[in-house]
């Protein structure tokens, strides 16, 4: 039974756009000549005792995020240049790098006498980095070749060799660098992106009900005051008493957080904020009030003299901020933070086990199809034009409808056999997480292209409606199964 629950969690994981590289049949993708050259030098003259070797892997996927291997070698000058079987002279090295040039996106040769140093940086998926000085002396000769990693095109494989003559001219002193890490164009882009990113990190008090928050954005306080209820750019769920949302901004703007209650109604009050690029706003919502981010407000917000909100909005006259939910929500409305006790795992018959697995796989297939359809939209996004993309959004609407049906079928069957040994909120939390990622994608798409075609707006509306529906259904189910 537990494996079925795990299958559902995997199926409902975050949408990740994977830019897979299609390899042409028979096309060389690995610098085989350079790797063979390096292996020969290491086997013949390498010094394993001084080798630098490290690997960092993602703890969840076990995939390599960065690796470093630096091998030092010392060769007799006569062996290096005499032309015998061990000969690995300049011609051998240059030929190996030139033969593998078609596999690379960077090829560099620095000759002795050139006053140019060179370093390689290893950056992993968490942004941790370390620089390695490859060439620091002008008497050193260096060759470098960089390729995309064959397994993960977001990574770069760097191959470099440097060497120089010893003072007595009898020895060749060198080092080989083989470094895999995040591609510089990706982490440099991410660094630039972080300067534009505005983020909200929210927490919800245990004394109030979990809900959704609509996010609105405008260029001025006046525009924000006239914004429509349905003009939100994202709908963010509260899961485990937390919610987060971020977007990229080219300039300071203003925004609004507005709660959707568990019964689907829109709160009559809201919270107005300055949205500032490169900043994070931390907020905790209580029953009737909220803790604002005083440091943020002093530096860039309403106390800084830089706020774009008008004085009425700053004072709160334009919005009551937060009201006591008990006045707005039916007293019988379920309180979501009450946990459902764990049940003893049911003894399923083989037939029931097969039925559960089949329904789980149907959900997984739906989600995979939705992700694949979003991936098909990438060329339109890259061209900053959604012209001709209508059928993809219509397909997403159809697939989300099928997912809704299959998920309900899954829940209904589990209730019928009383089989779920976990908290219902965990199951609903995963499907809400999946819809939340879709909602976020539309907000980012709007920022990218400016105008969404009608099918895209319809798809966005469907996703937000499904989020609202499942928040309400989650509370009802938790109450029923007590």
């Amino acid at each position: 039974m537990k494996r079925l629950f795990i299958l559902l969690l995997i199926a409902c994981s975050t949408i990740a756009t994977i830019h897979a590289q299609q390899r042409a049949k028979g096309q060389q993708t690995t610098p085989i000549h350079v790797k063979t050259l390096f292996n020969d030098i290491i086997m013949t003259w390498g010094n394993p005792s001084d080798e630098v070797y490290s690997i960092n892997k993602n703890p969840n996927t076990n995939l390599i995020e960065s690796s470093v291997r630096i091998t030092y070698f010392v060769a007799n000058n006569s062996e290096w240049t005499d032309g015998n079987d061990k000969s690995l002279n300049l011609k051998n090295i240059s030929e190996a790098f030139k033969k593998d040039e078609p596999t690379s996106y960077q090829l560099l040769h620095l000759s002795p006498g050139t006053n140019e140093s060179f370093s390689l940086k290893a950056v992993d998926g968490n942004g941790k980095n370390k620089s390695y000085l490859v060439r620091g002396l002008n008497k050193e000769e260096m060759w470098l070749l960089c390729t995309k990693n064959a397994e993960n095109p977001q990574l770069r494989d760097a191959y470099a060799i440097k060497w120089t003559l010893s003072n007595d001219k009898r020895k060749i002193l060198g080092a080989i660098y083989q470094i895999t890490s995040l591609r510089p164009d990706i982490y440099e882009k991410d660094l630039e992106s972080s300067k534009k990113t505005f983020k909200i990190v929210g927490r919800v008090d245990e004394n109030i009900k979990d809900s959704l928050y609509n996010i609105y954005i405008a260029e001025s306080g006046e525009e924000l005051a006239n914004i429509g209820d349905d003009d939100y750019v994202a709908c963010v769920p509260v899961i485990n008493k937390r919610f987060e949302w971020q977007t990229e901004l080219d300039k300071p703007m203003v925004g609004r957080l507005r709660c959707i209650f568990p019964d689907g109604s829109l709160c009559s009050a809201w919270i107005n904020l300055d949205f500032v690029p490169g900043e994070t706003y931390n907020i905790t919502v209580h029953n009737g009030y909220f803790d604002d981010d005083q440091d943020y407000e002093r530096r860039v917000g309403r106390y800084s003299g830089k706020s774009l909100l008008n004085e009425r909005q700053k004072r709160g006259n334009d919005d009551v901020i937060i009201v006591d939910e008990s006045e707005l929500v039916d007293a019988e409305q379920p309180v979501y933070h009450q946990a459902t006790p764990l049940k003893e795992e049911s003894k399923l018959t083989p037939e029931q086990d097969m039925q559960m697995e089949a329904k789980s796989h149907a959900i997984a297939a739906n989600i995979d199809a939705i992700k694949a359809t979003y991936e098909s939209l990438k060329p339109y996004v890259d061209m900053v034009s959604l012209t001709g993309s209508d059928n993809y959004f219509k397909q997403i609407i159809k697939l989300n409808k099928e997912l809704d049906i299959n998920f309900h079928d899954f829940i209904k069957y589990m209730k019928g056999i009383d089989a779920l040994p976990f908290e219902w909120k965990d199951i609903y939390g995963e499907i809400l997480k999946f819809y939340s990622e879709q909602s976020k994608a539309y907000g980012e798409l709007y920022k990218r292209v400016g105008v969404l075609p009608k099918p895209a707006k319809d798809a966005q509306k469907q996703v937000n409606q499904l989020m609202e529906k499942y928040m309400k259904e989650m509370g009802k189910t938790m109450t029923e199964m007590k």
Side-chain angles (χ1 to χ4, degrees):
M1 181 61 210
K2 289 185 178 179
R3 64 190 173 86
L4 296 174
F5 178 70
I6 293 170
L7 176 61
L8 180 61
L9 296 187
I10 293 173
C12 293
S13 61
T14 302
I15 293 176
T17 302
I18 302 173
H19 307 308
Q21 295 290 320
Q22 299 295 327
R23 301 181 194 173
K25 203 169 186 179
Q27 180 181 356
Q28 180 186 340
T29 59
T30 303
I32 55 176
H33 300 93
V34 169
K35 293 181 74 171
T36 300
L37 170 77
F38 283 5
N39 185 63
D40 289 343
I41 294 176
I42 291 171
M43 292 295 292
T44 307
W45 297 301
N47 186 358
S49 62
D50 291 335
E51 188 173 70
V52 176
Y53 193 86
S54 68
I55 295 179
N56 293 315
K57 293 184 178 181
N58 185 300
N60 297 316
T61 64
N62 204 39
L63 296 177
I64 291 177
E65 291 186 338
S66 66
S67 67
V68 176
R69 184 184 181 188
I70 303 174
T71 310
Y72 299 94
F73 63 89
V74 178
N76 293 324
N77 194 11
S78 59
E79 292 179 347
W80 186 262
T81 59
D82 66 4
N84 62 22
D85 291 341
K86 292 184 179 180
S87 175
L88 288 167
N89 56 32
L90 176 61
K91 182 179 179 181
N92 300 132
I93 296 172
S94 63
E95 284 182 354
F97 276 84
K98 290 176 181 177
K99 285 179 180 178
D100 286 337
E101 185 274 331
T103 71
S104 72
Y105 65 85
Q106 182 180 10
L107 182 67
L108 176 65
H109 175 223
L110 296 177
S111 301
T114 305
N115 293 321
E116 183 178 343
S117 62
F118 187 84
S119 297
L120 280 172
K121 184 182 289 186
V123 180
D124 63 23
N126 295 318
K128 296 180 181 178
N129 67 81
K130 186 173 181 179
S131 290
Y132 297 89
L133 180 63
V134 178
R135 185 179 190 265
L137 302 174
N138 63 5
K139 64 179 182 179
E140 293 175 329
E141 184 157 3
M142 185 198 85
W143 279 88
L144 165 80
L145 181 143
C146 294
T147 71
K148 289 184 180 180
N149 182 273
E151 301 301 323
N152 183 353
Q154 289 193 325
L155 300 182
R156 172 201 64 184
D157 293 335
Y159 304 88
I161 182 173
K162 71 171 181 183
W163 70 93
T164 186
L165 277 170
S166 61
N167 291 333
D168 60 8
K169 310 295 184 183
R170 298 174 61 186
K171 299 288 185 180
I172 297 292
L173 311 176
I176 289 172
Y177 299 79
Q178 300 178 80
I179 298 178
T180 295
S181 72
L182 196 64
R183 280 180 17 221
D185 59 312
I186 292 179
Y187 67 72
E188 288 170 1
K189 180 180 179 181
D190 288 345
L191 182 63
E192 179 64 28
S193 176
S194 68
K195 297 177 182 179
K196 296 183 177 182
T197 300
F198 169 72
K199 186 174 184 179
I200 297 173
V201 177
R203 292 172 175 80
V204 177
D205 193 290
E206 287 291 334
N207 296 323
I208 66 173
K209 299 173 179 64
D210 288 341
S211 56
L212 300 165
Y213 281 92
N214 279 351
I215 308 291
Y216 303 81
I217 296 181
E219 293 196 0
S220 66
E222 290 71 24
E223 183 180 328
L224 185 65
N226 296 315
I227 205 162
D229 291 349
D230 295 329
D231 293 334
Y232 52 86
V233 297
C235 188
V236 184
V238 177
I239 299 175
N240 296 327
K241 299 299 178 183
R242 295 174 179 268
F243 64 95
E244 289 190 11
W245 176 79
Q246 67 182 43
T247 189
E248 289 192 7
L249 302 174
D250 293 321
K251 61 181 180 180
M253 301 183 76
V254 291
R256 174 175 296 170
L257 283 70
R258 193 170 183 183
C259 177
I260 299 175
F261 292 127
D263 65 356
S265 63
L266 192 62
C267 182
S268 61
W270 52 77
I271 302 169
N272 287 338
L273 301 173
D274 287 279
F275 286 14
V276 181
E279 298 285 347
T280 297
Y281 196 97
N282 294 281
I283 186 171
T284 300
V285 181
H286 302 282
N287 197 357
Y289 66 100
F290 71 96
D291 296 333
D292 59 2
D293 192 328
Q294 288 289 321
D295 176 66
Y296 181 99
E297 297 291 8
R298 283 193 294 269
R299 288 186 298 102
V300 295
R302 63 180 184 271
Y303 307 138
S304 67
K306 306 173 185 176
S307 177
L308 297 178
L309 298 169
N310 60 45
E311 291 304 315
R312 185 180 179 189
Q313 290 167 332
K314 291 180 190 178
R315 294 194 305 269
N317 294 347
D318 192 38
D319 45 294
V320 186
I321 306 300
I322 293 292
V323 298
D324 188 339
E325 292 182 351
S326 63
E327 298 176 359
L328 299 177
V329 183
D330 193 303
E332 295 182 1
Q333 182 67 37
V335 179
Y336 287 174
H337 65 261
Q338 294 178 351
T340 303
L342 296 179
K343 302 176 182 178
E344 292 293 330
E345 185 161 354
S346 301
K347 301 295 185 182
L348 299 181
T349 67
E351 182 182 354
Q352 288 173 330
D353 189 76
M354 290 179 61
Q355 285 285 335
M356 291 286 288
E357 187 160 3
K359 294 178 186 300
S360 298
H361 278 294
I363 292 172
N366 266 135
I367 291 175
D368 287 343
I370 291 170
K371 290 179 179 180
T373 309
Y374 278 110
E375 175 65 21
S376 299
L377 286 165
K378 184 180 181 299
Y380 297 93
V381 178
D382 290 344
M383 292 187 295
V384 198
S385 172
L386 295 178
T387 303
S389 64
D390 288 6
N391 287 336
Y392 291 105
F393 291 108
K394 292 176 181 178
Q395 177 70 2
I396 289 170
I397 292 172
K398 178 184 176 183
L399 291 170
N400 271 321
K401 185 176 180 180
E402 291 175 0
L403 174 61
D404 181 34
I405 293 171
N406 286 331
F407 185 75
H408 269 260
D409 183 49
F410 179 83
I411 295 294
K412 182 180 178 181
Y413 189 78
M414 286 194 296
K415 289 179 181 178
I417 61 176
D418 198 23
L420 187 67
F422 303 95
E423 290 191 24
W424 284 99
K425 188 172 181 180
D426 290 335
I427 290 289
Y428 279 103
E430 289 303 319
I431 198 73
L432 280 167
K433 181 180 176 182
F434 180 71
Y435 285 129
S436 175
E437 288 299 321
Q438 291 190 66
S439 179
K440 177 182 175 181
Y442 286 106
E444 295 302 319
L445 188 60
Y446 176 79
K447 293 289 294 181
R448 171 80 170 163
V449 302
V451 178
L452 297 182
K454 186 178 184 304
K457 291 180 180 178
D458 291 341
Q460 181 184 32
K461 182 178 179 181
Q462 178 200 39
V463 165
N464 291 332
Q465 287 174 340
L466 287 169
M467 289 173 65
E468 294 174 18
K469 183 182 83 169
Y470 279 120
M471 283 296 297
K472 183 178 180 180
E473 186 177 308
M474 178 173 65
K476 182 180 178 182
T477 300
M478 288 170 60
T479 301
E480 289 174 348
M481 301 306 292
K482 287 182 181 178

